[in-house]
Amino acid sequence: MELNKQIAKPAAVTVLAITAAISISISAIYLHSLRKQYASMEQDSPESAITEYFSKINQKSYDELYQEAEEISPDSNSEETYVQMLQSVYDGVNTDAIDYSLESSDDSSYTYALRYHNADFGKLLIRQNQEGKWIASTLFEGNETWKIEVPSGLTLLVNGSPVSSDQMISSAAVPDNFSSMYDQSAVPLADIYELTNLLDQPEVSVEGDDSYTVLKDVSSNTLFVGKASEDQNLIQAMIQDTETAAAYPAQDATLAEVASVSITESDWYSRISTLENYWFTDHSESNFSNQSVTNLIQQSENTALAYVTMDYYATNGEVERIWHCGYQVSLINLDGSWKIAQMTVDQELNPALNSEG
Amino acid sequence: MEDRKKSMTLELLIASSIGIVFVAGIVTYVLMLKTRYAGHTAYSRQQMKELNTESFEYMLVKHFYSREELNSFQNPDTEVLEKQGETENDSDDIEIQKIYGPTYEGYMMLVHNPEDLSVAINPYFAEGGAGPSLDEYVSYYNAIGGLNAGGFEDVNGKGDGSLASGIVIHDGKLISGELDAYWPMICITYTNRLTVMNATGQQMLDWGVRDAVTFQPFLISEGQVVYQAGDGNYPNLSPRSAIGQTDDGTFLLLAIDGRGPGSFGATYEDMIQIFQSYGAVTAATLDGGNSTAMMYNGSYVNTPVSMYGSRNLPTVFLIKAEGN
């Protein structure tokens, strides 16, 4: 063959184009085949769930991630808490730089330790869902323990699922907000559950009855479950009884008046009856204002529990002061009138203190 | 000449074809490497981990990753070198925490530098002058905060805090009281330890007490509850002041509001529970009721009972300001 032979340009260009087309086609077919092979290997691997998980993290599909987490590892943290935790952990993180290594495994799951910037970052649980697809979930373990007191006999749900009876610590017990009454024979009973290793307050409800809601105890991680109420007579009783008790230290009510609105055979009354109110600054004018009852629930027909806030003003013409007061009040009706069984102070319930920041 | 422009030699054509195939091959190779090692999949991550860093392939593939990502593949078990000091709490050596109870709200002031706490006495007591209010003490002695301390002799029934009850020791010297009378004493030693004891003034000076005031009942001593029902003279629901100390030397200054609509008051048992929750090894009551007052950084922390503010006080515990 003469290498110097002249080939017409159109023909030469055609040859070159065909050569390029064939080369590119072979390359594309090869790469496609390679990608299919790797994708197949990836799909069969549990670790494929990690890739997909981080992809959803980057897309901030936190709600979807929560649903998947509940599929493979349901826990008692609320969706809001779980999503907030995901955001706090992953926002701003370069997921490509997260390294993971298998920490432990059993017949149905794998746990991977995550490291980021050479520091421990967390753990991922990988498990197959009911359809056989590998799903990943970040494991969060909180250090909060919550008690939930629900009227005895009702089924308690957390995140929509019944709480296991293993987590019930007492059955048909006196609720904590009535436990300081000396005679508890008329107190409605509650089943008490304890949930541990939580990140924050759980989302609870009662099976088959949307009228139940919760009130969080001001002094502990306890949730009281009861029927939400807007009974105006009950609200009025709450305000009047609370005002009487609050007025006593200021000498605007007598101890006898406090006794008339209290269960006297109780720790609450035993305490308040020892308060000597003659120390309060003499004043010529005083009043209560901005009275409010919130989160009113009834654990039974003859009991009530709510937050009560009010402001108390006093002056003697020379000095004046406003007290922004807040209380958690438990009432019980034993003889036709609502009386204080327990009263706990918490000024931070008062919106005036919150707004003062 | 024109014929050459409209044609190319066979040699050139073959060379060009080989060149096209070569370039296609190079590009395919690079794309293959990218798919295999940088596909952002679990598989490709595993391949990267197993790739020899001195290989030709690594030299090419590393350009698909940042340095940080490359380090994470090659050094998964590198120990974290914590930057000492940067995460240290740089806030004040004083913390104030809100305290809650069934019938009360209050404040616990944690003084982490025990050497900063000392007793101050009414500077006008020698001439019978009324004791200052807590804010006046704090201002007079240029302190950062304080808590009312011991009780007072109510001379003339005016309750002006002019004369401290019992014994007062400051800086190792007897300031007020008799050397040979027994009193319930709340003492701070020169090693900055809080101690409670019934003793005479002379005994305390002999034992090397730095500062001391008189009050009772004692609540906790050497880690044990020493209070018994019936002790003390005021078991009622009341505003409370108290002092305690943890094993690591942190002083605990407690002020509980009471006698008002916002907070009714606490009992001795309430205070014991509070100090136990803080791990106090020593704790004792101070003068409560209308005397209870706590200040920090120029403001009252608690709400004194009287609408006129803090009463006249005979003695207070003061926390030294930084640099003072």
Side-chain angles (χ1 to χ4, degrees):
Chain A
M1 186 189 326
E2 290 181 18
L3 294 176
N4 288 329
K5 183 179 178 181
Q6 292 295 320
I7 310 292
K9 253 197 183 156
V13 169
T14 302
V15 166
L16 291 174
I18 291 172
T19 304
I22 293 172
S23 301
I24 291 170
S25 299
I26 292 173
S27 172
I29 291 169
Y30 170 69
L31 289 173
H32 178 70
S33 160
L34 203 63
R35 288 192 189 107
K36 272 187 71 174
Q37 179 190 345
Y38 290 158
S40 171
M41 293 164 77
E42 170 85 2
Q43 206 57 38
D44 292 339
S45 156
E47 293 187 2
S48 63
I50 299 178
T51 308
E52 192 171 335
Y53 187 81
F54 287 148
S55 170
K56 289 178 182 173
I57 289 283
N58 291 334
Q59 292 163 15
K60 299 190 191 308
S61 305
Y62 295 122
D63 292 339
E64 190 178 344
L65 290 171
Y66 171 75
Q67 298 303 329
E68 289 180 347
E70 285 297 294
E71 264 188 85
I72 61 168
S73 177
D75 72 13
S76 299
N77 288 303
S78 68
E79 178 174 354
E80 184 183 353
T81 298
Y82 188 87
V83 167
Q84 278 177 358
M85 199 67 189
L86 279 182
Q87 289 171 329
S88 71
V89 168
Y90 288 107
D91 272 2
V93 167
N94 176 7
T95 54
D96 286 338
I98 298 176
D99 185 52
Y100 51 86
S101 55
L102 184 64
E103 184 177 84
S104 63
S105 64
D106 57 31
D107 292 341
S108 60
S109 67
Y110 300 84
T111 302
Y112 284 80
L114 305 180
R115 291 182 70 83
Y116 184 65
H117 290 181
N118 295 325
D120 287 333
F121 188 68
K123 293 192 199 306
L124 274 186
L125 172 71
I126 297 177
R127 190 174 274 165
Q128 285 178 305
N129 64 7
Q130 287 184 343
E131 285 80 41
K133 182 183 175 189
W134 291 103
I135 302 281
S137 161
T138 303
L139 293 176
F140 295 123
E141 189 164 284
N143 57 9
E144 293 190 8
T145 296
W146 285 79
K147 269 194 341 180
I148 304 158
E149 302 195 3
V150 58
S152 193
L154 297 179
T155 299
L156 178 68
L157 305 179
V158 172
N159 296 333
S161 300
V163 179
S164 161
S165 58
D166 294 343
Q167 292 170 294
M168 185 190 291
I169 59 174
S170 294
S171 174
V174 171
D176 195 51
N177 58 319
F178 293 103
S179 60
S180 70
M181 286 175 60
Y182 300 156
D183 178 1
Q184 300 171 353
S185 58
V187 172
L189 300 178
D191 297 331
I192 303 174
Y193 293 82
E194 188 174 87
L195 306 180
T196 57
N197 300 122
L198 296 184
L199 297 167
D200 202 341
Q201 179 174 329
E203 200 74 40
V204 304
S205 57
V206 169
E207 187 175 57
D209 196 332
D210 288 342
S211 65
Y212 283 92
T213 185
V214 299
L215 179 143
K216 184 202 168 295
D217 184 42
V218 291
S219 57
S220 70
N221 280 357
T222 298
L223 300 177
F224 297 105
V225 178
K227 288 206 176 201
S229 172
E230 293 179 3
D231 184 329
Q232 292 304 308
N233 290 331
L234 186 47
I235 289 172
Q236 240 356 82
M238 272 276 176
I239 291 173
Q240 283 169 358
D241 287 1
T242 304
E243 274 186 11
T244 301
Y248 171 63
Q251 299 183 68
D252 289 347
T254 65
L255 187 57
E257 287 170 324
V258 176
S260 71
V261 299
S262 301
I263 299 296
T264 53
E265 294 294 304
S266 67
D267 186 56
W268 147 251
Y269 185 74
S270 295
R271 282 173 166 263
I272 196 70
S273 62
T274 67
L275 192 157
E276 291 173 345
N277 66 354
Y278 50 78
W279 299 97
F280 198 83
T281 307
D282 289 336
H283 50 281
S284 53
E285 185 187 332
S286 65
N287 59 67
F288 283 100
S289 63
N290 300 320
Q291 298 92 329
S292 174
V293 174
T294 56
N295 295 72
L296 176 61
I297 66 170
Q298 290 193 260
Q299 293 152 288
S300 69
E301 281 188 7
N302 69 330
T303 59
L305 171 63
Y307 300 142
V308 183
T309 60
M310 56 189 61
D311 298 332
Y312 175 77
Y313 169 82
T315 182
N316 60 5
E318 198 176 325
V319 288
E320 62 180 14
R321 190 188 280 182
I322 295 177
W323 285 256
H324 300 299
C325 309
Y327 315 94
Q328 176 178 295
V329 181
S330 297
L331 300 184
I332 190 166
N333 188 333
L334 298 177
D335 55 4
S337 64
W338 290 97
K339 293 187 179 178
I340 300 171
Q342 187 187 75
M343 192 159 151
T344 306
V345 303
D346 186 354
Q347 295 171 23
E348 284 171 18
L349 291 172
N350 193 302
L353 288 178
N354 286 330
S355 62
E356 285 171 7
Chain B
M1 195 63 127
E2 278 192 22
D3 288 342
R4 281 197 177 169
K5 285 183 182 175
K6 293 180 183 174
S7 65
M8 64 163 42
T9 63
L10 179 61
E11 182 182 23
L12 184 58
L13 179 60
I14 292 171
S16 299
S17 300
I18 292 171
I20 288 172
V21 170
F22 182 73
V23 169
I26 295 291
V27 171
T28 302
Y29 178 68
V30 171
L31 289 176
M32 183 275 291
L33 287 180
K34 187 173 191 298
T35 301
R36 182 174 180 182
Y37 295 106
H40 298 288
T41 62
Y43 176 79
S44 58
R45 285 183 62 85
Q46 192 58 36
Q47 295 298 303
M48 269 306 287
K49 283 183 193 177
E50 295 169 359
L51 189 58
N52 185 340
T53 56
E54 291 176 9
S55 66
F56 175 71
E57 283 177 330
Y58 184 83
M59 295 300 162
L60 294 175
V61 172
K62 70 179 184 180
H63 297 290
F64 295 128
Y65 288 100
S66 67
R67 182 178 298 181
E68 180 183 85
E69 289 164 332
L70 290 173
N71 285 339
S72 75
F73 290 130
Q74 301 304 326
N75 301 299
D77 296 324
T78 301
E79 288 297 319
V80 175
L81 296 175
E82 294 220 21
K83 294 180 185 176
Q84 296 297 333
E86 282 190 16
T87 55
E88 197 170 23
N89 186 356
D90 292 328
S91 60
D92 290 338
D93 295 319
I94 296 170
E95 282 177 75
I96 296 179
Q97 298 176 356
K98 196 86 184 281
I99 301 290
Y100 299 92
T103 50
Y104 62 84
E105 292 191 350
Y107 303 87
M108 182 69 87
M109 183 187 291
L110 290 85
V111 182
H112 293 291
N113 290 340
E115 65 270 20
D116 289 344
L117 191 76
S118 62
V119 167
I121 192 168
N122 171 16
Y124 315 115
F125 89 96
E127 57 263 35
S133 60
L134 180 59
D135 52 282
E136 287 168 338
Y137 269 105
V138 169
S139 174
Y140 185 92
Y141 288 101
N142 195 25
I144 188 120
L147 176 73
N148 70 289
F152 56 91
E153 301 295 337
D154 198 0
V155 178
N156 303 324
K158 290 182 180 176
D160 64 1
S162 55
L163 189 60
S165 64
I167 295 168
V168 179
I169 290 175
H170 172 62
D171 207 15
K173 302 182 190 62
L174 184 77
I175 305 297
S176 171
E178 302 297 325
L179 277 174
D180 56 359
Y182 269 99
W183 288 95
M185 298 305 304
I186 301 163
C187 320
I188 301 175
T189 67
Y190 273 101
T191 56
N192 301 312
R193 298 304 303 187
L194 183 71
T195 314
V196 293
M197 65 180 88
N198 290 301
T200 66
Q202 187 62 61
Q203 284 173 325
M204 286 187 292
L205 293 178
D206 292 342
W207 290 335
V209 165
R210 164 164 68 87
D211 289 272
V213 295
T214 296
F215 212 78
Q216 65 174 346
F218 305 146
L219 301 175
I220 298 171
S221 179
E222 296 181 354
Q224 304 296 317
V225 174
V226 294
Y227 169 76
Q228 292 179 331
D231 289 354
N233 56 3
Y234 205 78
N236 307 41
L237 215 60
S238 177
R240 300 288 183 183
S241 296
I243 184 169
Q245 190 176 44
T246 60
D247 203 35
D248 72 354
T250 298
F251 274 111
L252 306 170
L253 304 182
L254 177 65
I256 294 179
D257 288 335
R259 292 178 180 166
S263 179
F264 303 130
T267 64
Y268 292 128
E269 288 83 358
D270 291 330
M271 287 194 285
I272 290 169
Q273 262 191 346
I274 292 168
F275 279 114
Q276 285 179 320
S277 74
Y278 277 86
V281 294
T282 311
T285 55
L286 300 169
D287 190 17
N290 284 34
S291 296
T292 293
M294 176 187 280
M295 279 196 76
Y296 178 65
N297 246 353
S299 301
Y300 276 92
V301 175
N302 74 314
T303 304
V305 174
S306 171
M307 290 201 292
Y308 289 92
S310 164
R311 75 181 321 163
N312 304 105
L313 300 169
T315 52
V316 299
F317 281 108
L318 292 180
I319 301 119
K320 192 168 60 174
E322 200 173 322
N324 186 3

